[in-house]
Amino acid sequence: MKPKNIQMPGTIKIAFCAIATLCAATSTSSAQLTKFGKFNVAQNDAGNVATSVTVTLGAGSTGGIAIPAGSNRGDYEINFGPGNDPTVGALITCVSQLSRNNNAFGDTGGTFFATASSSEETNRDYFIPIHSSQATSGEVNINVAFAFFPYDKWIGGIARNGGVNGGAITSVLGTTGLDLAGEFVDGPTTNDGIFTLNINSFTANGFTTSATASQSGILLVAGAKNEDNYALSKANTDGTFTIYCHDNGVNGTGYEQDPVNFVYLPTSQVGTKNLVAMGRIRSNGTTAAGTAGGTYTVTKGPTGTWYLTIPGQTDSTGTLIISPEGGAANNVDNIVSYEWDATNSRWIIESRDLPTPSTGLQDGNPATEDMFSFAFFQAPPTAYASSGFTGTAGDAIADADLGTTGNQPAVLGTSAFSTISAALTNSGSLAPFIL
């Protein structure tokens, strides 16, 4: 039988036997927890088959994340638990490498820049598409960061258009009470790739947003289709957000009417659910009023460049997620990416102007223009236990999620739990079993 393809951070430290039904039951709760991490992507050749890439989970990732078989060029499989992940939470992605050149591994295009999105497998899970931001360059391989936000822990969702390319938004799958034509509006003008989110004084999951939500939190966004689109957001003074879906090869306000993912992070949640720091950063390196959470420093670098430091944190202790701001002057068509600078113990964040990002590092205009939002999640100390249980051939849960045919070993992520018992009762912040 084909073994389950699971990439795990950390070291397998203890082994024990587990009852199959217990593993399956606990894996369900695993999908309900905030999970985050980074994919290190190695290109093996210029092809578009499973052997063309090697995808591994990077340091600073949580437990409870599987990499099912089937990743290929610019499409990376990911699984957060049994069942259909898009019905459980929103997936926000961003590129965690400033640029890449894969010519040594079969490509001919030289250095490129890219955007990441998320897309839904048919009746199953997410995968992460990556597209070059140079027009007509297509799918490419580059490192990517991601965070999975359960709808019962955060305020977020997926705005869908029923699979109709360029069609009107027909549904919003997300946090209870977050409705199409209520909190999420396709418009102000229908079918122009511009959407409005109003979650002022919205109550969900144990907290109520302020009367001006955009002034006391940030919105993380991503394109939600396997296409060369990305998303941007704008915080409006009345507390609402505007979300834009943009083609990553088009100049200016070339918005595109397609699905988007979005998640709201209020500053009040810093210190919970592994969220350590967050903010909406302006071109001059300052933080927009009311959006700073945790301790961090942003220093303005050269044009289109910022340096982020978080005391006690590195690329190995957690995961940084960034999201582009838009809707103003210079930022209307900018893409953002980041990379860890180990020499200086900081993250380098860049904003590049389309349609020529190779020469398009760009600041905002004026200096107070919002350029990006960020959130840093700390991964708890991780220990893993591999059980002696193997699924029977045709195990429905494992096969549906991982595309395999049974006999999958169970994996336990005991991160942030003091004991195995505590992990099984879901008393900590990370995933117990996945199958």
mmCIF file of all heavy atoms in Angstrom, residues 373-399:
data_model
loop_
_atom_site.group_PDB
_atom_site.id
_atom_site.type_symbol
_atom_site.label_atom_id
_atom_site.label_comp_id
_atom_site.label_asym_id
_atom_site.label_seq_id
_atom_site.Cartn_x
_atom_site.Cartn_y
_atom_site.Cartn_z
ATOM 1 N N SER A 373 -0.140 44.897 5.491
ATOM 2 C CA SER A 373 -0.439 44.470 6.852
ATOM 3 C C SER A 373 0.350 43.202 7.128
ATOM 4 O O SER A 373 0.653 42.428 6.203
ATOM 5 C CB SER A 373 -1.933 44.208 7.029
ATOM 6 O OG SER A 373 -2.670 45.406 7.009
ATOM 7 N N PHE A 374 0.675 42.963 8.394
ATOM 8 C CA PHE A 374 1.411 41.749 8.737
ATOM 9 C C PHE A 374 0.871 41.154 10.029
ATOM 10 O O PHE A 374 0.284 41.837 10.876
ATOM 11 C CB PHE A 374 2.910 42.040 8.888
ATOM 12 C CG PHE A 374 3.297 42.582 10.234
ATOM 13 C CD1 PHE A 374 3.672 41.724 11.275
ATOM 14 C CD2 PHE A 374 3.264 43.945 10.492
ATOM 15 C CE1 PHE A 374 4.013 42.222 12.533
ATOM 16 C CE2 PHE A 374 3.601 44.457 11.732
ATOM 17 C CZ PHE A 374 3.972 43.589 12.768
ATOM 18 N N ALA A 375 1.070 39.864 10.168
ATOM 19 C CA ALA A 375 0.762 39.154 11.405
ATOM 20 C C ALA A 375 1.828 38.083 11.603
ATOM 21 O O ALA A 375 2.177 37.370 10.643
ATOM 22 C CB ALA A 375 -0.619 38.524 11.351
ATOM 23 N N PHE A 376 2.345 37.987 12.819
ATOM 24 C CA PHE A 376 3.332 36.950 13.121
ATOM 25 C C PHE A 376 2.756 35.998 14.154
ATOM 26 O O PHE A 376 2.273 36.415 15.210
ATOM 27 C CB PHE A 376 4.639 37.554 13.651
ATOM 28 C CG PHE A 376 5.692 36.495 13.911
ATOM 29 C CD1 PHE A 376 6.482 36.020 12.878
ATOM 30 C CD2 PHE A 376 5.872 35.965 15.187
ATOM 31 C CE1 PHE A 376 7.429 35.026 13.102
ATOM 32 C CE2 PHE A 376 6.819 34.980 15.421
ATOM 33 C CZ PHE A 376 7.601 34.507 14.383
ATOM 34 N N PHE A 377 2.819 34.709 13.835
ATOM 35 C CA PHE A 377 2.319 33.651 14.702
ATOM 36 C C PHE A 377 3.494 32.811 15.203
ATOM 37 O O PHE A 377 4.303 32.339 14.395
ATOM 38 C CB PHE A 377 1.334 32.764 13.951
ATOM 39 C CG PHE A 377 0.086 33.477 13.526
ATOM 40 C CD1 PHE A 377 0.043 34.171 12.321
ATOM 41 C CD2 PHE A 377 -1.044 33.472 14.325
ATOM 42 C CE1 PHE A 377 -1.107 34.836 11.919
ATOM 43 C CE2 PHE A 377 -2.200 34.135 13.933
ATOM 44 C CZ PHE A 377 -2.225 34.821 12.730
ATOM 45 N N GLN A 378 3.571 32.626 16.492
ATOM 46 C CA GLN A 378 4.656 31.851 17.077
ATOM 47 C C GLN A 378 4.258 30.391 17.187
ATOM 48 O O GLN A 378 3.181 30.053 17.698
ATOM 49 C CB GLN A 378 5.028 32.378 18.466
ATOM 50 C CG GLN A 378 6.183 31.624 19.112
ATOM 51 C CD GLN A 378 6.563 32.208 20.457
ATOM 52 O OE1 GLN A 378 5.991 33.190 20.902
ATOM 53 N NE2 GLN A 378 7.537 31.599 21.116
ATOM 54 N N ALA A 379 5.139 29.517 16.717
ATOM 55 C CA ALA A 379 4.901 28.080 16.818
ATOM 56 C C ALA A 379 5.372 27.597 18.177
ATOM 57 O O ALA A 379 6.524 27.825 18.552
ATOM 58 C CB ALA A 379 5.641 27.338 15.706
ATOM 59 N N PRO A 380 4.509 26.933 18.952
ATOM 60 C CA PRO A 380 4.923 26.420 20.257
ATOM 61 C C PRO A 380 5.996 25.346 20.111
ATOM 62 O O PRO A 380 6.157 24.769 19.024
ATOM 63 C CB PRO A 380 3.639 25.820 20.838
ATOM 64 C CG PRO A 380 2.548 26.443 20.051
ATOM 65 C CD PRO A 380 3.104 26.682 18.693
ATOM 66 N N PRO A 381 6.729 25.056 21.184
ATOM 67 C CA PRO A 381 7.695 23.946 21.138
ATOM 68 C C PRO A 381 6.977 22.677 20.704
ATOM 69 O O PRO A 381 5.883 22.378 21.169
ATOM 70 C CB PRO A 381 8.185 23.838 22.587
ATOM 71 C CG PRO A 381 7.955 25.197 23.146
ATOM 72 C CD PRO A 381 6.711 25.720 22.487
ATOM 73 N N THR A 382 7.595 21.954 19.785
ATOM 74 C CA THR A 382 6.912 20.842 19.143
ATOM 75 C C THR A 382 7.541 19.510 19.493
ATOM 76 O O THR A 382 8.748 19.339 19.445
ATOM 77 C CB THR A 382 6.944 21.017 17.608
ATOM 78 O OG1 THR A 382 6.358 22.280 17.289
ATOM 79 C CG2 THR A 382 6.158 19.913 16.920
ATOM 80 N N ALA A 383 6.696 18.555 19.843
ATOM 81 C CA ALA A 383 7.113 17.166 19.974
ATOM 82 C C ALA A 383 6.106 16.331 19.213
ATOM 83 O O ALA A 383 4.925 16.631 19.187
ATOM 84 C CB ALA A 383 7.139 16.743 21.438
ATOM 85 N N TYR A 384 6.543 15.273 18.582
ATOM 86 C CA TYR A 384 5.666 14.437 17.787
ATOM 87 C C TYR A 384 5.681 13.006 18.294
ATOM 88 O O TYR A 384 6.711 12.500 18.713
ATOM 89 C CB TYR A 384 6.085 14.443 16.315
ATOM 90 C CG TYR A 384 5.720 15.724 15.642
ATOM 91 C CD1 TYR A 384 6.614 16.793 15.623
ATOM 92 C CD2 TYR A 384 4.475 15.893 15.070
ATOM 93 C CE1 TYR A 384 6.258 17.986 15.033
ATOM 94 C CE2 TYR A 384 4.118 17.090 14.480
ATOM 95 C CZ TYR A 384 5.018 18.124 14.459
ATOM 96 O OH TYR A 384 4.669 19.304 13.882
ATOM 97 N N ALA A 385 4.544 12.376 18.222
ATOM 98 C CA ALA A 385 4.456 10.968 18.574
ATOM 99 C C ALA A 385 3.896 10.210 17.390
ATOM 100 O O ALA A 385 2.869 10.566 16.846
ATOM 101 C CB ALA A 385 3.548 10.792 19.781
ATOM 102 N N SER A 386 4.568 9.154 16.999
ATOM 103 C CA SER A 386 4.093 8.323 15.905
ATOM 104 C C SER A 386 3.442 7.083 16.493
ATOM 105 O O SER A 386 4.055 6.360 17.259
ATOM 106 C CB SER A 386 5.257 7.918 15.005
ATOM 107 O OG SER A 386 4.821 7.085 13.972
ATOM 108 N N SER A 387 2.204 6.845 16.156
ATOM 109 C CA SER A 387 1.495 5.707 16.732
ATOM 110 C C SER A 387 1.745 4.458 15.926
ATOM 111 O O SER A 387 2.189 4.498 14.778
ATOM 112 C CB SER A 387 -0.001 5.993 16.779
ATOM 113 O OG SER A 387 -0.588 5.723 15.530
ATOM 114 N N GLY A 388 1.436 3.335 16.524
ATOM 115 C CA GLY A 388 1.553 2.074 15.826
ATOM 116 C C GLY A 388 0.321 1.738 15.014
ATOM 117 O O GLY A 388 0.276 0.731 14.323
ATOM 118 N N PHE A 389 -0.699 2.583 15.081
ATOM 119 C CA PHE A 389 -1.938 2.331 14.344
ATOM 120 C C PHE A 389 -1.761 2.622 12.870
ATOM 121 O O PHE A 389 -1.161 3.613 12.489
ATOM 122 C CB PHE A 389 -3.056 3.205 14.906
ATOM 123 C CG PHE A 389 -4.275 3.238 14.024
ATOM 124 C CD1 PHE A 389 -5.119 2.145 13.970
ATOM 125 C CD2 PHE A 389 -4.568 4.349 13.269
ATOM 126 C CE1 PHE A 389 -6.245 2.168 13.164
ATOM 127 C CE2 PHE A 389 -5.687 4.379 12.463
ATOM 128 C CZ PHE A 389 -6.532 3.283 12.406
ATOM 129 N N THR A 390 -2.247 1.742 12.039
ATOM 130 C CA THR A 390 -2.283 2.016 10.599
ATOM 131 C C THR A 390 -3.708 1.818 10.108
ATOM 132 O O THR A 390 -4.402 0.890 10.524
ATOM 133 C CB THR A 390 -1.345 1.083 9.810
ATOM 134 O OG1 THR A 390 -1.696 -0.271 10.114
ATOM 135 C CG2 THR A 390 0.105 1.345 10.185
ATOM 136 N N GLY A 391 -4.141 2.692 9.245
ATOM 137 C CA GLY A 391 -5.489 2.594 8.722
ATOM 138 C C GLY A 391 -5.650 1.370 7.847
ATOM 139 O O GLY A 391 -4.693 0.880 7.243
ATOM 140 N N THR A 392 -6.826 0.870 7.768
ATOM 141 C CA THR A 392 -7.087 -0.254 6.886
ATOM 142 C C THR A 392 -7.139 0.225 5.446
ATOM 143 O O THR A 392 -7.312 1.403 5.173
ATOM 144 C CB THR A 392 -8.431 -0.913 7.258
ATOM 145 O OG1 THR A 392 -9.461 0.083 7.181
ATOM 146 C CG2 THR A 392 -8.375 -1.482 8.662
ATOM 147 N N ALA A 393 -6.972 -0.702 4.537
ATOM 148 C CA ALA A 393 -7.032 -0.342 3.122
ATOM 149 C C ALA A 393 -8.362 0.326 2.817
ATOM 150 O O ALA A 393 -9.421 -0.149 3.231
ATOM 151 C CB ALA A 393 -6.843 -1.571 2.261
ATOM 152 N N GLY A 394 -8.304 1.453 2.128
ATOM 153 C CA GLY A 394 -9.513 2.175 1.788
ATOM 154 C C GLY A 394 -10.050 3.021 2.921
ATOM 155 O O GLY A 394 -11.230 3.361 2.945
ATOM 156 N N ASP A 395 -9.190 3.390 3.880
ATOM 157 C CA ASP A 395 -9.592 4.239 5.002
ATOM 158 C C ASP A 395 -10.204 5.525 4.442
ATOM 159 O O ASP A 395 -9.531 6.326 3.808
ATOM 160 C CB ASP A 395 -8.364 4.548 5.851
ATOM 161 C CG ASP A 395 -8.688 5.354 7.096
ATOM 162 O OD1 ASP A 395 -9.401 6.362 6.970
ATOM 163 O OD2 ASP A 395 -8.211 4.977 8.180
ATOM 164 N N ALA A 396 -11.485 5.737 4.668
ATOM 165 C CA ALA A 396 -12.208 6.827 4.002
ATOM 166 C C ALA A 396 -11.678 8.193 4.383
ATOM 167 O O ALA A 396 -11.548 9.084 3.540
ATOM 168 C CB ALA A 396 -13.699 6.728 4.324
ATOM 169 N N ILE A 397 -11.372 8.406 5.667
ATOM 170 C CA ILE A 397 -10.916 9.718 6.115
ATOM 171 C C ILE A 397 -9.559 10.044 5.509
ATOM 172 O O ILE A 397 -9.360 11.086 4.887
ATOM 173 C CB ILE A 397 -10.832 9.772 7.650
ATOM 174 C CG1 ILE A 397 -12.223 9.640 8.258
ATOM 175 C CG2 ILE A 397 -10.174 11.076 8.104
ATOM 176 C CD1 ILE A 397 -12.223 9.577 9.768
ATOM 177 N N ALA A 398 -8.604 9.127 5.697
ATOM 178 C CA ALA A 398 -7.254 9.404 5.205
ATOM 179 C C ALA A 398 -7.217 9.478 3.692
ATOM 180 O O ALA A 398 -6.566 10.346 3.111
ATOM 181 C CB ALA A 398 -6.295 8.334 5.708
ATOM 182 N N ASP A 399 -7.909 8.554 3.034
ATOM 183 C CA ASP A 399 -7.865 8.548 1.573
ATOM 184 C C ASP A 399 -8.476 9.812 0.974
ATOM 185 O O ASP A 399 -7.963 10.365 0.015
ATOM 186 C CB ASP A 399 -8.593 7.319 1.024
ATOM 187 C CG ASP A 399 -7.852 6.029 1.354
ATOM 188 O OD1 ASP A 399 -6.686 6.121 1.758
ATOM 189 O OD2 ASP A 399 -8.449 4.950 1.215
#
